[in-house]
Amino acid sequence: MSERGALRARLELLAREVAKFGVVGAVGLVVNIAVSNLLWRYTNIPTVRAGLLATVVAALGNYLGYRYWTYRDRDKSGRTRELTLFLLFSAVGAVIETGVLYVATYGFDWNSPVQSNVFKILGIGLATLFRFWSYRTWVFKALPVEKPAPAAEKPVAGGAEGFLKQGRTEPVGRVGADSVRR
């Protein structure tokens, strides 16, 4: 495959991964916003805490989507490590997401339902960039590319043919009658 073809194939795989990540994320976004709004409307939980709880609920669902759909072809050998890293990076994403909502709510006193939703979505957007990078880099690691097994060593042919087949820089000596001194 040419270098251009290899690049195109890699970009197509990345586009497919981004699309799957986006679908799972969109479902998570709907869950996150729905849970946030339900908590804001029907409970007395403060805005930022309700937003954080909604993020946790969405993250649990997202893990299932990422593991079993987006990254189903990735390494599954270290589930404990994977889940630990997922929770760690999700927590960092939650800090980013909730931090935006916190600054808007308590820093600027922008806490109407519309403002809270706008800043919740803005925070989710920023956190999603971080999550995409961290999940694909550290959590759902790609399986190593299998290299073809080395071919069994064949007897070295003599002359130019042996030289070309072996890829050596010096000629291969002939074995047989020609190599015997007379």
Side-chain angles (χ1 to χ4, degrees):
M1 180 182 292
S2 70
E3 189 174 317
R4 187 175 180 186
L7 176 62
R8 184 178 189 150
R10 289 185 68 200
L11 288 174
E12 286 175 2
L13 286 173
L14 180 62
R16 200 171 306 132
E17 179 184 346
V18 168
K20 287 180 174 183
F21 190 90
V23 168
V24 172
V27 171
L29 174 70
V30 170
V31 168
N32 199 329
I33 296 300
V35 171
S36 292
N37 281 284
L38 287 171
L39 292 174
W40 291 334
R41 183 173 176 127
Y42 296 111
T43 69
N44 291 328
I45 299 174
T47 303
V48 175
R49 256 187 236 154
L52 183 58
L53 286 172
T55 299
V56 169
V57 170
L60 294 175
N62 285 356
Y63 175 77
L64 297 173
Y66 294 139
R67 165 49 34 222
Y68 295 106
W69 188 54
T70 305
Y71 296 113
R72 70 175 175 250
D73 59 334
R74 300 286 178 102
D75 185 14
K76 297 177 183 85
S77 62
R79 288 287 172 97
T80 303
R81 176 200 150 282
E82 176 184 282
L83 189 55
T84 301
L85 288 174
F86 181 85
L87 292 173
L88 174 72
F89 289 123
S90 291
V92 173
V95 168
I96 295 168
E97 179 182 326
T98 307
V100 171
L101 185 60
Y102 181 88
V103 169
T105 302
Y106 298 112
F108 296 106
D109 200 32
W110 293 335
N111 58 0
S112 74
V114 171
Q115 291 168 327
S116 293
N117 278 307
V118 166
F119 289 102
K120 177 81 173 156
I121 291 170
L122 180 63
I124 290 171
L126 291 174
T128 296
L129 296 174
F130 169 76
R131 288 178 180 131
F132 178 74
W133 169 79
S134 63
Y135 293 167
R136 80 182 308 261
T137 304
W138 300 102
V139 179
F140 302 107
K141 296 186 79 149
L143 291 169
V145 177
E146 289 186 28
K147 295 182 181 179
E153 298 242 354
K154 296 180 183 175
V156 177
E161 185 179 312
F163 171 73
L164 292 173
K165 285 187 177 179
Q166 293 297 315
R168 295 182 179 160
T169 57
E170 71 241 11
V172 175
R174 289 183 156 207
V175 176
D178 292 337
S179 65
V180 176
R181 286 190 173 176
R182 295 188 188 204

